[in-house]
Amino acid sequence: MLPNTIIPPVGQPFIELITVDSTNNYAMAQLQQGEVQDGTVWFAHSQTAGRGQRGRQWLSQPGKNIALSAALNTNGLAVSRQFYLSMAVALATHDTISKYVNSESCVKWPNDIYINDRKAGGILIENIIRGDKWQWAVAGIGLNINQTEFDAGALRPVSLAQVTGRQFDVQALARELCTALTRRYEQFLKKHEQLTDEYNAVLYRRGKTVRLKRQNIVFDAKIKEVTPDGMLHVEGAMWDAFAFGEVEWVID
């Protein structure tokens, strides 16, 4: 990517969907069917079958939260840069949330958004790769904004409204997120090496001992850092690095 290349704004166009199963599903279908403008965002007022990492379901009350997907043109970029994009999207989401909370907000590896040890949102990036060509990425973002009651099976959820004590204009906040995504997308395309340090600066529990689980083994380890290939590095355990999916967090 040349330094003087103009980056299309993320969120132009900003397409509203009244109800959809999953904004990622919808976005991927649009990309498969024909031409899509780089930076197109699909925003759902109601998402009936939102998806998170590792096949988990993302439950959201209609009209209460952000559920959107952005189509990002990655044509010509190395497939090895996928986690740089993941870091950029996570940082953009963190940028948006952190403006409104006085308490600690951070990114939990690989790309959940946490506030005070509770999950405020998640990111699911899906890619269109043909051969060795990384053509498109669809960045799906779900953020708890005004919802205050959650399903009993949800894992320590929290919303921006619960933390701040105020209600938000969800669509206006989604457009703020698009502005943050534009800035981080440009950083990803032009100066992606800087993303790693910024990501680690807001990494959940960095420098602290946590409990993790690999297969059937539960162990303690100190979080060290995440490297550009997406590996979580730790200290004080039988293993010193993990790829996504190799280890689970054990929540007390």
Side-chain angles (χ1 to χ4, degrees):
M1 179 62 62
L2 298 174
N4 60 352
T5 302
I6 297 174
I7 308 302
V10 178
Q12 293 185 20
F14 185 92
I15 300 170
E16 294 183 57
L17 305 170
I18 301 303
T19 302
V20 70
D21 60 344
S22 156
T23 58
N24 263 32
N25 286 351
Y26 191 90
M28 291 292 281
Q30 295 300 304
L31 285 167
Q32 298 287 358
Q33 290 172 12
E35 290 190 10
V36 170
Q37 184 174 324
D38 188 12
T40 298
V41 164
W42 293 270
F43 170 86
H45 292 272
S46 176
Q47 185 174 237
T48 60
R51 293 180 292 117
Q53 295 284 0
R54 305 177 76 171
R56 294 189 178 98
Q57 193 173 14
W58 181 268
L59 301 174
S60 177
Q61 292 178 353
K64 296 282 190 179
N65 306 313
I66 289 175
L68 64 77
S69 293
L72 305 175
N73 188 342
T74 53
N75 192 35
L77 300 177
V79 175
S80 60
R81 282 175 57 177
Q82 284 184 70
F83 196 73
Y84 279 111
L85 180 59
S86 180
M87 289 190 286
V89 175
L91 284 167
T93 310
H94 178 268
D95 293 342
T96 304
I97 289 294
S98 62
K99 292 191 298 184
Y100 297 97
V101 294
N102 295 322
S103 49
E104 181 183 356
S105 60
C106 51
V107 178
K108 178 173 171 281
W109 176 80
N111 49 20
D112 284 337
I113 304 301
Y114 266 53
I115 303 174
N116 290 342
D117 289 322
R118 299 175 70 185
K119 184 174 178 177
I123 295 161
L124 177 63
I125 299 178
E126 298 180 293
N127 300 287
I128 296 178
I129 299 173
R130 293 189 172 96
D132 61 350
K133 305 297 183 184
W134 183 17
Q135 297 183 330
W136 287 91
V138 171
I141 303 173
L143 280 174
N144 298 327
I145 306 301
N146 292 328
Q147 186 168 337
T148 56
E149 296 181 1
F150 295 91
D151 184 83
L155 186 60
R156 299 174 70 173
V158 71
S159 69
L160 206 52
Q162 288 177 313
V163 175
T164 63
R166 55 173 282 203
Q167 293 286 297
F168 292 83
D169 182 327
V170 175
Q171 188 178 130
L173 198 59
R175 291 183 182 274
E176 284 187 39
L177 175 57
C178 289
T179 299
L181 281 168
T182 300
R183 184 172 68 86
R184 292 296 187 175
Y185 182 38
E186 181 172 12
Q187 183 181 7
F188 161 70
L189 292 173
K190 295 183 177 181
K191 299 178 180 178
H192 65 275
E193 297 88 352
Q194 300 174 354
L195 289 164
T196 307
D197 287 344
E198 292 192 61
Y199 179 92
N200 279 306
V202 296
L203 182 63
Y204 177 67
R205 296 289 183 93
R206 187 183 187 191
K208 297 180 180 179
T209 299
V210 301
R211 183 150 291 184
L212 301 173
K213 181 179 180 181
R214 185 178 188 271
Q215 297 176 347
N216 292 320
I217 302 173
V218 177
F219 58 95
D220 291 335
K222 180 185 286 188
I223 301 297
K224 185 178 178 182
E225 64 178 354
V226 175
T227 47
D229 57 0
M231 296 286 287
L232 175 67
H233 288 250
V234 302
E235 296 176 338
M238 295 170 61
W239 307 273
D240 57 11
F242 305 97
F244 173 66
E246 287 185 341
V247 68
E248 296 179 47
W249 297 80
V250 178
I251 305 298
D252 296 332

